[in-house]
Amino acid sequence: MNPTPTPAPPLVPGGATAHAPAAIHTRGLRKVYPRAQGGLVAVDALDLTVRQGEFFGLLGTNGAGKSTTIGMLTTLVAPSAGQAWVAGYEVSADPVGVKSRIGVVSQANTLDRALTVADNLAFRGRYFGMRAPAARRRALELLERFGLTDKAGAKAHQLSGGQARRVMIGRALMHLPDVLFLDEPTAGVDPQARDDLWRIIANLHETGQTAVLTTHYLDEAEALCGRLAVIDHGRLLACDTPEAIKASSGARTVITVHYDGDATPATDALRGIPGGPHDMDVDGPTVRVRTTRPDGVLGHLLRAGGAVGLTVRDATTTPPSLQTAFLTLTGRDYTP
């Protein structure tokens, strides 16, 4: 029997509907690691709302605060300040309540190597109070749903990386969680397995499962998530649909040129690109131009650089995308 949920506060604008509480709501959520660990502010005053039935993505580079945020929402990391509610339970006041209503798929393979695939699922069901026959039925239903019926009697070490990830998703769904957390679900698997996992995750969305996805793959975030939160250095920079983030961030085409020498002394010569406005940054041999009018920019940089003795070694043009939105929001390239 589940404990009584801790009442959540009124929803912020843009949260769940007036008739349904948010699946996740945070208010001023903060995590500071001890001075012995450098006094790192991993998450800084995070205000976030995830609606019921929403597939929500956390996007950021390594060290941005994604894992710490997930850790606090799943009760594995104690917040330093602020509050968070998951499925109506406050994570600090009622961690048992939170754990009873969530499913977690970690990046690491946590399957019990001593058990069969079916038993890995059935034991999870028993842990959440299911009777043995019901747990067995549910396990076999999930294995059939994920195309793993023939692996029911196999041991964990006999599975491929993609198969193991599918089993872990099935195990996390055994007790019908209100919120499913997927931490880098396709990391380290081959392209075919990644496509299979995409189909499974998309199907979960279609069935109304609320999920929070962390991923290093920008195309994955854009394809699977209805809304995204962009986090950098522990702070929330944007939270909206992928298209809205690209539009509101002012994401532009980015032309990047690498010269064979330091371009800093030639900054003035490189400016004056026709057809502006353009924003240009010079960092040693690298020149980066952000613009909504990319025509002619690369040609200008080639000619202007050549006039001052600089030869282009490499040049790239990146059209507006989540990559350029991230660059615009943070001032840095997205490097997983």
Side-chain angles (χ1 to χ4, degrees):
M1 184 173 181
N2 292 332
T4 302
T6 307
L11 293 177
V12 298
T17 68
H19 305 290
I24 296 172
H25 181 68
T26 72
R27 185 169 61 191
L29 193 62
R30 180 177 172 86
K31 178 62 181 179
V32 182
Y33 286 103
R35 188 173 299 278
Q37 300 179 37
L40 173 68
V41 180
V43 176
D44 192 5
L46 180 65
D47 294 329
L48 195 65
T49 298
V50 177
R51 305 163 186 145
Q52 289 188 13
E54 184 170 34
F55 235 82
F56 191 88
L58 290 179
L59 190 62
T61 60
N62 284 331
K66 304 189 308 296
S67 295
T68 300
T69 298
I70 294 295
M72 289 189 284
L73 294 177
T74 57
T75 78
L76 297 176
V77 176
S80 303
Q83 291 178 290
W85 290 261
V86 178
Y89 300 88
E90 209 284 317
V91 297
S92 296
D94 206 347
V96 173
V98 172
K99 290 176 182 177
S100 72
R101 300 312 313 156
I102 65 174
V104 181
V105 179
S106 63
Q107 186 174 347
N109 186 338
T110 58
L111 296 174
D112 190 324
R113 296 174 64 84
L115 300 178
T116 65
V117 166
D119 284 344
N120 263 279
L121 272 65
F123 275 39
R124 178 60 60 91
R126 295 285 285 153
Y127 177 81
F128 281 96
M130 298 175 69
R131 294 185 178 276
R136 192 73 180 176
R137 284 195 301 273
R138 172 74 173 157
L140 294 178
E141 288 170 0
L142 286 167
L143 291 179
E144 181 178 6
R145 178 179 174 184
F146 294 159
L148 292 166
T149 300
D150 60 333
K151 298 295 182 181
K155 296 293 182 69
H157 70 273
Q158 296 173 308
L159 303 175
S160 68
Q163 290 170 340
R165 209 61 60 88
R166 279 186 277 162
V167 173
M168 290 170 64
I169 294 173
R171 185 180 63 177
L173 293 170
M174 276 295 296
H175 62 298
L176 300 173
D178 290 336
V179 183
L180 178 66
F181 291 91
L182 299 165
D183 185 16
E184 304 286 348
T186 65
V189 301
D190 62 68
Q192 180 59 54
R194 188 180 179 216
D195 288 344
D196 291 341
L197 288 166
W198 273 33
R199 284 193 289 272
I200 288 170
I201 293 169
N203 178 258
L204 290 175
H205 189 190
E206 291 170 2
T207 63
Q209 175 68 57
T210 304
V212 176
L213 171 76
T214 69
T215 179
H216 280 154
Y217 300 116
L218 295 171
D219 59 337
E220 185 165 276
E222 189 161 9
L224 298 176
C225 298
R227 284 196 307 146
L228 297 170
V230 179
I231 299 176
D232 190 50
H233 292 103
R235 298 190 67 85
L236 179 66
L237 301 184
C239 183
D240 213 322
T241 65
E243 289 302 319
I245 288 175
K246 286 187 284 187
S248 64
S249 69
R252 292 161 288 179
T253 297
V254 179
I255 296 100
T256 303
V257 169
H258 300 283
Y259 291 104
D260 61 351
D262 187 2
T264 305
T267 298
D268 290 340
L270 296 174
R271 294 193 188 279
I273 304 169
H278 312 285
D279 289 335
M280 189 176 79
D281 295 327
V282 180
D283 182 11
T286 301
V287 174
R288 182 178 289 115
V289 177
R290 303 177 186 88
T291 181
T292 58
R293 299 179 178 181
D295 291 346
V297 172
L298 182 56
H300 170 84
L301 295 176
L302 286 167
R303 290 189 299 272
V308 294
L310 293 171
T311 300
V312 173
R313 287 187 170 178
D314 181 62
T316 59
T317 299
T318 307
S321 62
L322 278 180
Q323 173 84 23
T324 55
F326 187 88
L327 176 61
T328 302
L329 287 166
T330 67
R332 297 183 292 109
D333 285 318
Y334 187 87
T335 52

